[in-house]
């Protein structure tokens, strides 16, 4: 007996856009694991945190001088810590309660995206324009520094296997010579934090 083919895409699909969250031109976004917060990065350099239950802006965070290219909720993804990176070459880690960045790491090139480790607080992966993905451990003691002054490692060249950012961190000066001509435009950290999936400019 032939059964009719069920098309699940026909069920529950909105026929029109019912609402817009209008606050700048969003280039990137992330939703926290609870689904009640949305953070957007705008072309203006503004980072906007939304309360999805009330459809209202919780806080606006300004500091980037160029378009924001990546945003992420830091572990434990309750909205208290947000990371953002931009074409101005800066990774900013924000305390949303204080409404200010407690850490800023500056690179010599535009940043294409950032991700937060799902379990380890303060561990972030940054995608740069011409280097491998860079793993950083960031806390309030960092303040504002250049990448050469911040311990970090490159995901593709780390000698030790294990959760990202836990071991094998090198000084920026030692790792800075390891370059590649292929930019990383997209990346995703696995749910357990063990694997990093990258997409590159060469396909």
């Amino acid at each position: 007996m032939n059964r009719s083919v069920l098309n699940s895409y026909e069920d529950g699909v909105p026929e029109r856009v019912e609402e817009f969250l209008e606050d700048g031109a969003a280039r990137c976004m992330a939703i926290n694991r609870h689904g009640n917060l949305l953070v957007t990065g705008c072309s203006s350099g503004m980072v906007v945190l939304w309360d999805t239950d009330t459809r209202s802006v919780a806080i606006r965070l300004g500091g980037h001088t160029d378009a924001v290219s990546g945003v992420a909720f830091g572990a434990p993804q309750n909205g208290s810590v947000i990371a953002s990176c931009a074409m101005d070459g800066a990774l900013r880690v924000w305390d949303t309660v204080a409404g200010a960045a407690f850490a800023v790491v500056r690179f010599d090139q535009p940043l294409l995206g950032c991700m937060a480790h799902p379990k380890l607080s303060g561990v972030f992966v940054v995608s740069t324009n011409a280097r491998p993905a860079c793993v950083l451990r960031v806390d309030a003691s960092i303040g504002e520094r250049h990448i050469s002054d911040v311990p970090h490692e490159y995901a593709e060249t780390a000698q030790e296997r294990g959760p990202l950012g836990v071991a094998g961190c090198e000084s920026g000066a030692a790792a800075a010579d390891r370059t590649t001509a292929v930019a990383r435009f997209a990346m995703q950290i696995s749910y357990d934090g063990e694997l990093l999936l990258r997409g590159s400019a060469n396909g």
Side-chain angles (χ1 to χ4, degrees), residues 8-24:
S8 60
Y9 293 102
E10 294 179 353
D11 299 328
V13 178
E15 296 181 358
R16 60 186 176 84
V17 176
E18 297 181 356
E19 188 174 358
F20 290 92
L21 300 179
E22 296 186 34
D23 197 291

Side-chain angles (χ1 to χ4, degrees), residues 132-143:
C134 182
V135 182
L136 293 164
R137 185 183 293 276
V138 179
D139 57 31
S141 66
I142 292 292

Side-chain angles (χ1 to χ4, degrees), residues 112 127 182-188 196-203:
L112 305 180
S127 179
V182 181
R184 272 53 181 166
F185 282 102
M187 58 186 174
Q188 181 67 47
L196 173 67
L197 177 66
R198 295 174 290 101
S200 63
N202 62 6

Side-chain angles (χ1 to χ4, degrees), residues 1 7 13 15 48 68-69 76 99 110 196:
M1 177 183 294
N7 186 353
V13 178
E15 296 181 358
V48 183
V68 179
S69 53
L196 173 67

Side-chain angles (χ1 to χ4, degrees), residues 164-180:
L164 291 172
V166 172
C169 287
E170 307 171 272
S171 68
D177 292 332
R178 295 176 177 174
T179 61
T180 176

